[in-house]
Amino acid sequence: GAQGRRHFEREVCYNGQRYLADQSLWHAPSRNEQLAMAQLAPQYGFFKEQLPAFLKGEDEDCSWGYTGCQIAHVEAWRAALEAGAEWLMLLEDDVLPIPVFGMDWADVWGVVAQQVHDLRARGEEWDLLYVGKGSATSAEGPFVTPLVIEAGYNLKMHCYCLSRRGLSRMLSAELSYMSIRPQDEILAALSKKGRHPRACVAERVQRCFPTCDEFRALAFPFWGIVFQLQSFRLLRSSSH
């Protein structure tokens, strides 16, 4: 109960489901943690040249906004599993097909559905499939189909799919109902089977997601086939 909660823990109840916000891990890595992460990251397949980008991606505090985002995703997973869905494609409200491919959302859905079909036909089981993603800061694996690869570590979750096995694993794990870091960081850690260079995050993922070493994340390569809208600052130039 509430009396057993530590001072940095807060409980939130939404739609009958309890979520625990553990603020002890909400802070960005300290300088000493960053140094330790930089030493450990290459052992987990992170690119040395990408370490500054990796550390910059991790240098953000968690917040109640991120907690709300996590709850929204988990509630979508719950609804899909309860409805008997074989797989789910989830996208946030600021995502568009990448213009260079000349596709609309019907085309995106068709491509994704075809890849899910092809994976099944090849006997390839999977849990998570990134449809759109950020630049990987760790090594990605080989192609599983002509359009899908084994995922590396990336900090984007604006559009992804979960298989029925993935939905079941996510919803069976205590970690899904615990806000410790932004959810894209958790999915990225699962893509590396829980091997996160930040020791406290790795320990929590491995303890609260017991099947993380069996979790399989795939991705459309590069940035995927959809992208997330960004804010750009317009600068005046002498030519305008």
Side-chain angles (χ1 to χ4, degrees):
Q3 292 181 347
R5 296 292 178 209
R6 290 168 287 187
H7 68 90
F8 47 77
E9 294 178 335
R10 298 291 185 273
E11 193 173 88
V12 178
C13 187
Y14 182 84
N15 198 22
Q17 175 63 53
R18 292 182 177 182
Y19 295 87
L20 179 68
D22 184 349
Q23 296 173 296
S24 67
L25 296 181
W26 277 22
H27 63 280
S30 66
R31 178 58 179 164
N32 287 339
E33 283 183 304
Q34 289 187 26
L35 292 173
M37 290 164 69
Q39 292 178 343
L40 191 59
Q43 300 177 33
Y44 291 165
F46 286 78
F47 300 120
K48 181 179 180 181
E49 297 78 9
Q50 288 277 48
L51 278 179
F54 166 70
L55 292 173
K56 182 175 178 59
E58 305 295 317
D59 192 20
E60 186 172 1
D61 291 342
C62 193
S63 67
W64 286 110
Y66 282 121
T67 300
C69 178
Q70 177 178 338
I71 291 173
H73 282 250
V74 174
E75 289 299 310
W77 306 341
R78 292 177 65 195
L81 191 65
E82 291 171 2
E86 287 300 312
W87 58 281
L88 165 74
M89 184 168 82
L90 194 152
L91 55 144
E92 297 186 339
D93 60 2
D94 56 352
V95 181
L96 290 173
I98 293 180
V100 71
F101 297 132
M103 297 194 297
D104 59 20
W105 277 113
D107 298 319
V108 170
W109 175 259
V111 170
V112 173
Q114 183 64 54
Q115 291 309 299
V116 171
H117 174 272
D118 291 351
L119 288 167
R120 183 185 298 115
R122 292 166 181 256
E124 297 283 356
E125 294 189 344
W126 57 281
D127 296 296
L128 170 69
L129 170 62
Y130 286 103
V131 180
K133 67 185 191 66
S135 300
T137 53
S138 74
E140 297 178 316
F143 279 87
V144 183
T145 76
L147 291 181
V148 170
I149 59 173
E150 299 275 358
Y153 189 99
N154 80 92
L155 288 179
K156 291 287 186 180
M157 62 172 198
H158 46 280
C159 187
Y160 63 89
C161 300
L162 287 173
S163 67
R164 187 162 183 83
R165 187 183 76 173
L167 287 166
S168 180
R169 284 181 168 173
M170 295 301 293
L171 292 170
S172 297
E174 180 185 3
L175 188 65
S176 293
Y177 311 100
M178 180 183 299
S179 172
I180 57 171
R181 297 291 301 152
Q183 186 66 16
D184 60 343
E185 187 176 334
I186 300 302
L187 294 183
L190 291 174
S191 298
K192 297 294 292 180
K193 303 186 183 301
R195 294 191 293 273
H196 193 288
R198 189 177 179 187
C200 59
V201 174
E203 185 278 330
R204 188 64 62 89
V205 171
Q206 293 165 18
R207 173 161 56 89
C208 297
F209 202 116
T211 59
C212 66
D213 60 338
E214 302 170 5
F215 196 86
R216 190 184 192 196
L218 306 176
F220 286 84
F222 305 106
W223 281 4
I225 58 176
V226 300
F227 75 106
Q228 188 170 30
L229 295 175
Q230 304 286 332
S231 296
F232 295 95
R233 183 181 178 188
L234 297 179
L235 300 178
R236 295 181 179 274
S237 71
S238 57
S239 61
H240 291 83

